[in-house]
Amino acid sequence: MPTWKQILARSITTPAQLAAHFPIEHHGMSAVAAQYPMRINPYYLGLIERVGDPIWRQAVPDPMELADHTCMEDPLDEENRSPVPNLVHKYPDRALLLVTSQCAMYCRFCTRKRKVGTARMEITPATIRAGIEYLRRTPQIRDVLVSGGDPLLLPDDTLDWLLTALRAIPTLETIRIGTRAPCTLPMRVTTRLARMLGRHHPLFINTHFNHPRELTSQAALACSRLAAAGIPLGNQTVLLRGVNDNAITMTALLRGLLKMRVKPYYLFQADMTRGTNHFRTRVETGLDLMRSLIGHVSGMAVPTFAVDAPGGGGKIPLTPDYITAMGDTIEFANYIGTPYSYDNNLI
């Protein structure tokens, strides 16, 4: 059985290679791949059933990426909130540490598509050490999110060194890893990796599944290994047009995640990232999806719908409005529209 590194090495990185698997005219994609890198490893390629399906849309370059003149290069203003290279300090008590520019599959809707997978994202041992030193001398930071790229593409020993260095910072209470590897390259999550990660608690992992077809037996095994190591698992889904913007798909995804011991955490309105405008939905679409979930599925399966405010304003929860009147008595409707009231007076 091939290792995860061998599988990754056989990735498709050009539209011409993709044309050997699907009957497509690839020339229009080449200019896109030259601007925004392409990588589809054999595992994720095998999830595509047909041209244009929800898996295809996430992985395959689309000429519409170059036709986007609406969105922004750096919608979350990360570059201006980086006191040292590859560290973003946006919230008072949290920081984002970018430790690799590589991913197992380059998502076409990536927030950092301006630089992930390219020479424009230069990450070295020196920049990582500079980020660790910033965390050490900034005691108000209690939580760090390790991201990239995908941190799980780092070798086990490198990850172990990184987590050991972070855990040695006395003011750093929790460490989170953001990774899509359980979805896009689940065989990366070996028992050895899970065992090593389990030595660095309190450690949390947020992964990223967008469609029920990504919930394969291999993905379930990867998540099971992480959960067995005592690592709480959350999932961050992006609301994507033509991928998961309907109640049937979203419900199946969220219920399936719970079966894999993964707690739905966020459902994100798509960021206003240059090259991704064709994925965006109206906010009303997300609110309608939340109405289809709240009260109709287990509360554990209901994520927080949020928009990461353009310009670096942070995550803003978006919730359907159930309150119809506010005063001494609160009037509201429940999940199926039945009116109720609650006495708001205090003795």
Side-chain angles (χ1 to χ4, degrees), residues 147-200:
S147 187
D150 195 317
L152 293 196
L153 260 63
L154 294 174
D156 289 5
D157 291 345
T158 302
L159 268 174
D160 194 18
W161 168 83
L162 171 65
L163 295 173
T164 299
L166 293 174
R167 185 54 64 215
I169 301 173
T171 51
L172 202 58
E173 297 174 355
T174 53
I175 301 171
R176 291 178 290 152
I177 294 176
T179 174
R180 208 178 179 202
C183 172
T184 57
L185 190 67
M187 53 286 305
R188 169 62 185 107
V189 184
T190 62
T191 53
R192 180 178 186 271
L193 173 67
R195 190 164 52 245
M196 180 275 289
L197 293 173
R199 295 198 296 266
H200 296 283

Side-chain angles (χ1 to χ4, degrees), residues 14-63:
T14 68
Q17 292 172 314
L18 185 66
H21 298 267
F22 294 94
I24 58 167
E25 172 53 61
H26 63 83
H27 298 292
M29 301 178 183
S30 297
V32 182
Q35 175 70 20
Y36 302 120
M38 171 185 183
R39 174 185 282 167
I40 313 173
N41 68 69
Y43 167 79
Y44 201 78
L45 181 71
L47 301 184
I48 299 174
E49 294 180 350
R50 63 186 184 281
V51 173
D53 77 5
I55 309 301
W56 173 282
R57 284 179 59 79
Q58 294 183 70
V60 176
D62 189 313

Side-chain angles (χ1 to χ4, degrees), residues 12-165:
I12 287 174
T13 57
T14 68
Q17 292 172 314
L18 185 66
H21 298 267
F22 294 94
I24 58 167
E25 172 53 61
H26 63 83
H27 298 292
M29 301 178 183
S30 297
V32 182
Q35 175 70 20
Y36 302 120
M38 171 185 183
R39 174 185 282 167
I40 313 173
N41 68 69
Y43 167 79
Y44 201 78
L45 181 71
L47 301 184
I48 299 174
E49 294 180 350
R50 63 186 184 281
V51 173
D53 77 5
I55 309 301
W56 173 282
R57 284 179 59 79
Q58 294 183 70
V60 176
D62 189 313
M64 285 190 287
E65 294 177 42
L66 298 182
D68 177 9
H69 305 295
T70 299
C71 296
M72 299 169 275
E73 289 287 329
D74 180 17
L76 307 184
D77 198 36
E78 291 183 337
E79 304 300 339
N80 291 324
R81 298 169 189 269
S82 295
V84 297
N86 301 314
L87 183 141
V88 181
H89 190 181
K90 179 166 60 175
Y91 298 99
D93 66 339
R94 282 154 285 169
L96 168 68
L97 180 63
L98 305 177
V99 298
T100 178
S101 65
Q102 300 296 304
C103 291
M105 188 275 287
Y106 292 129
C107 302
R108 308 318 302 176
F109 52 88
C110 179
T111 295
R112 300 186 189 101
K113 72 182 295 171
R114 66 188 183 276
K115 61 182 183 178
V116 167
T118 76
R120 297 186 293 276
M121 191 173 188
E122 183 179 1
I123 296 177
T124 66
T127 66
I128 294 174
R129 285 193 293 269
I132 293 171
E133 178 56 33
Y134 179 86
L135 295 170
R136 184 177 291 113
R137 68 173 187 266
T138 314
Q140 66 263 36
I141 297 176
R142 304 156 67 97
D143 173 282
V144 63
L145 171 59
V146 180
S147 187
D150 195 317
L152 293 196
L153 260 63
L154 294 174
D156 289 5
D157 291 345
T158 302
L159 268 174
D160 194 18
W161 168 83
L162 171 65
L163 295 173
T164 299

